Amino acid sequence: MNLMLPTARRKDGEKQPCIKIWKFDLRLPFIHYEWEIPEMIQGCVVFMTGSAATAYLENLFGFTFEIALSIVFVHELLYMVNNTLGDPLIGGWITPAVPLITAFLLNFEGKDRMYALVGMELILGLMYVILGATGIATKLIDICPQSLKAGILIGSGFAACCGPYGFKSVDDGGLGFFKYPISWSIGCALGLFLLFSNGFGKVKFGSKSRIIKLITKAGFVPAIIVAGIIAMVIGECSLPDFSTVQSFWFNPLPGLNWVWHNFSLTGIGLPPMEILLKDLPMAIMCYVIAFGDIVGGTAFMEDTKRYREDELIDVDPDRTNMCCGFRNLIEAFFSPTCTMSGPLWSAMTVSVAERYKTGKENMYSIFGGACTFNTTKWICQLICPLMAIIRPILPLAMAQTLLIQAFGSFYVGINMCRTNVERGVAGITAGAIAICPNPSYGLFVGIALCIVMEILGMSKKERRANVEEGIEIYLKNTRAELDELDAKEAAKLAKKA
């Protein structure tokens, strides 16, 4: 079911109506795209995932819940920038970078910690915009060795496991396993099962059950809900407190007024040069991770286009870069956030795209689904009784989110390595990133190792041959694994027969 004005209709094979502005396609709700009821319902369920960032801000900066929620509200609102300006991807955090950002910020105290966050987001925003506007982003990332990119991802996973939201003890500031041992364990196990397990993967891709399809679309939100209920029942989390709810709608303006004067570029000014220099390597690592999401999201959306010839979807990585840059720059100037603004929430992009693939009668335009979902999310954060219900479990939700992301970082990062030398370089880089007090030191370790192990003494032709050999070995092993799985399935069918 969708709601729209006649101006939102298009001819088959054309782009969804828009106002063309340079590289951007400006679209307004109802006028240029429809309001999708299924995505609205979905947004009402999964909004708590983004809300978990409030716990992160409270812990790192000592903010009140109201100030943290005001910052997160702006962050969630800015997700609309991408879709409103013509990017079909659903944006998200730069989630794999969050543990690294945590470790980096803990090296600073007081106002310097604020400067460090503001400076990092400012540099990242400028990188996005400049590299996107000039069109050289792809070339720069191509130069970056696979082992270094893999090391950053794997190191992020290690940092999540060793950090405060992982397996660090409560005495050392742990907010993960040792604070919520039962609910955290059950929630993480269920979340990993729903997202990555072989068993549930077979069920969700072959099932016609509406319940299974609903669970699949919700990602790991069911795991957060289950863990939260268990935590409240056994006393690991407190019960919702409605005594503080004074109104139905939350007013973010008082909190943002404080943020504008005390926690943003407009309020505290430009960070000192020594902090900006420390921010630069962290911003580079965040960008490397984010660019991987841009590449993956672009490839996925190109594949999605094959299923619908009635709408021309314009996918432009340069535009995605600039949209993400605008979001990070706005936040740096007015409302910084620790999660950074990334290009892709893969779970929800896949969820919306899968329904889009089923036909025009189910989702008229990809922009209707994406924009409806993002709009609903930030509206839900303004509903005080709804936030009061989920507030006690937000720290637990944040801890689950980072552990589940660590799992994803491990399997993606390890899979990126094609030769034994790349695996070795990635492993040491990851260890340095996770263990060094400042994660940016690990980046320099990785760069030095890449030069010594992969570049020094080898010609360009030899390096290319080495990479091609690694790709061939990787493909050969992948084919062998698939053949083994096929053989097992054939044996099962023969046994049943």
Side-chain angles (χ1 to χ4, degrees):
M1 179 181 178
N2 51 57
L3 306 170
M4 60 182 169
L5 295 173
T7 52
R9 298 200 175 275
R10 64 177 184 274
K11 293 180 180 179
D12 278 358
E14 293 186 353
K15 288 170 61 173
Q16 189 66 10
C18 64
I19 301 171
K20 189 68 178 176
I21 306 174
W22 189 40
K23 291 187 176 184
F24 306 106
D25 298 333
L26 177 64
R27 292 187 175 92
L28 303 174
F30 300 105
I31 298 173
H32 296 120
Y33 60 82
E34 78 284 10
W35 184 266
E36 294 283 353
I37 303 301
E39 273 61 44
M40 181 184 75
I41 295 171
Q42 201 169 353
C44 291
V45 175
V46 302
F47 82 97
M48 69 174 67
T49 306
S51 302
T54 54
Y56 195 30
L57 289 162
E58 289 178 88
N59 179 47
L60 276 173
F61 294 97
F63 293 154
T64 64
F65 177 73
E66 288 71 23
I67 289 176
L69 183 58
S70 300
I71 294 171
V72 172
F73 164 75
V74 172
H75 179 78
E76 294 289 320
L77 178 62
L78 289 174
Y79 282 131
M80 293 296 298
V81 169
N82 285 52
N83 302 140
T84 301
L85 295 182
D87 184 16
L89 302 178
I90 294 177
W93 301 349
I94 307 181
T95 317
V98 172
L100 302 181
I101 295 168
T102 305
F104 174 71
L105 292 177
L106 289 174
N107 288 292
F108 302 91
E109 296 292 340
K111 195 172 183 179
D112 282 352
R113 186 175 293 181
M114 295 183 181
Y115 275 134
L117 177 59
V118 169
M120 193 193 321
E121 195 153 25
L122 175 65
I123 294 171
L124 179 62
L126 290 172
M127 288 177 65
Y128 269 126
V129 172
I130 294 171
L131 297 180
T134 57
I136 62 173
T138 305
K139 294 178 183 178
L140 285 179
I141 294 298
D142 285 343
I143 295 172
C144 183
Q146 286 290 99
S147 54
L148 186 59
K149 289 186 276 190
I152 292 171
L153 277 174
I154 298 168
S156 172
F158 282 139
C161 292
C162 302
Y165 293 98
F167 295 94
K168 183 173 280 190
S169 68
V170 175
D171 292 340
D172 292 331
L175 299 167
F177 172 73
F178 289 102
K179 185 169 184 180
Y180 313 101
I182 298 174
S183 56
W184 185 91
S185 300
I186 294 173
C188 288
L190 182 57
L192 291 171
F193 176 79
L194 293 176
L195 291 179
F196 302 114
S197 75
N198 294 327
F200 189 67
K202 291 170 65 177
V203 171
K204 67 184 178 183
F205 289 119
S207 175
K208 295 182 180 179
S209 168
R210 291 186 178 182
I211 296 176
I212 296 295
K213 288 182 178 179
L214 180 62
I215 292 174
T216 302
K217 288 180 179 180
F220 64 93
V221 170
I224 292 176
I225 294 173
V226 169
I229 293 172
I230 291 172
M232 291 179 188
V233 170
I234 65 177
E236 288 185 348
C237 285
S238 59
L239 295 173
D241 181 10
F242 293 98
S243 63
T244 57
V245 177
Q246 304 295 324
S247 62
F248 184 81
W249 294 104
F250 172 69
N251 180 12
L253 292 181
L256 289 176
N257 183 55
W258 185 91
V259 169
W260 292 334
H261 289 91
N262 301 280
F263 183 62
S264 65
L265 197 61
T266 56
I268 62 176
L270 190 68
M273 184 56 66
E274 62 183 70
I275 292 181
L276 287 175
L277 290 174
K278 293 177 181 178
D279 281 330
L280 181 60
M282 283 301 304
I284 291 172
M285 285 196 284
C286 289
Y287 184 78
V288 169
I289 293 171
F291 193 86
D293 284 341
I294 293 176
V295 172
T298 300
F300 177 78
M301 200 53 63
E302 289 289 348
D303 179 71
T304 301
K305 289 163 62 174
R306 298 189 298 110
Y307 293 84
R308 291 278 299 272
E309 296 182 356
D310 60 283
E311 179 180 10
L312 175 62
I313 303 176
D314 181 19
V315 186
D316 185 350
D318 291 337
R319 178 173 54 210
T320 304
N321 266 279
M322 286 187 284
C323 288
C324 292
F326 297 154
R327 286 159 52 204
N328 280 286
L329 287 175
I330 292 171
E331 289 179 358
F333 275 90
F334 303 108
S335 181
T337 180
C338 309
T339 56
M340 305 287 112
S341 286
L344 182 70
W345 185 355
S346 55
M348 297 317 305
T349 298
V350 170
S351 176
V352 171
E354 287 302 312
R355 201 171 76 83
Y356 173 76
K357 290 177 183 178
T358 60
K360 189 176 180 179
E361 65 281 359
N362 290 327
M363 185 185 293
Y364 188 78
S365 168
I366 191 74
F367 292 98
C371 292
T372 301
F373 172 77
N374 276 326
T375 303
T376 304
K377 273 198 307 157
W378 64 262
I379 290 176
C380 284
Q381 290 183 333
L382 296 176
I383 302 175
C384 293
L386 203 54
M387 291 303 301
I389 292 173
I390 68 168
R391 181 177 175 179
I393 67 169
L394 291 178
L396 174 60
M398 188 70 192
Q400 285 179 251
T401 301
L402 293 186
L403 195 281
I404 291 169
Q405 179 59 50
F407 187 95
S409 296
F410 286 138
Y411 87 73
V412 172
I414 292 170
N415 200 41
M416 290 172 69
C417 299
R418 299 161 299 201
T419 67
N420 287 333
V421 171
E422 287 183 348
R423 294 184 189 98
V425 171
I428 293 178
T429 302
I433 287 173
I435 294 173
C436 288
N438 190 328
S440 58
Y441 298 160
L443 179 64
F444 296 124
V445 170
I447 292 171
L449 274 175
C450 286
I451 294 172
V452 172
M453 301 299 296
E454 300 182 52
I455 298 174
L456 205 62
M458 293 183 69
S459 67
K460 187 176 180 180
K461 186 177 180 181
E462 288 172 327
R463 292 200 300 270
R464 185 184 294 114
N466 196 33
V467 169
E468 289 173 352
E469 182 184 357
I471 293 173
E472 186 177 340
I473 293 170
Y474 169 74
L475 293 174
K476 183 179 178 181
N477 292 336
T478 302
R479 284 193 292 268
E481 290 176 7
L482 291 173
D483 290 342
E484 185 180 350
L485 288 172
D486 289 340
K488 288 180 179 179
E489 290 298 321
K492 288 180 182 178
L493 291 173
K495 190 174 181 181
K496 289 181 180 179

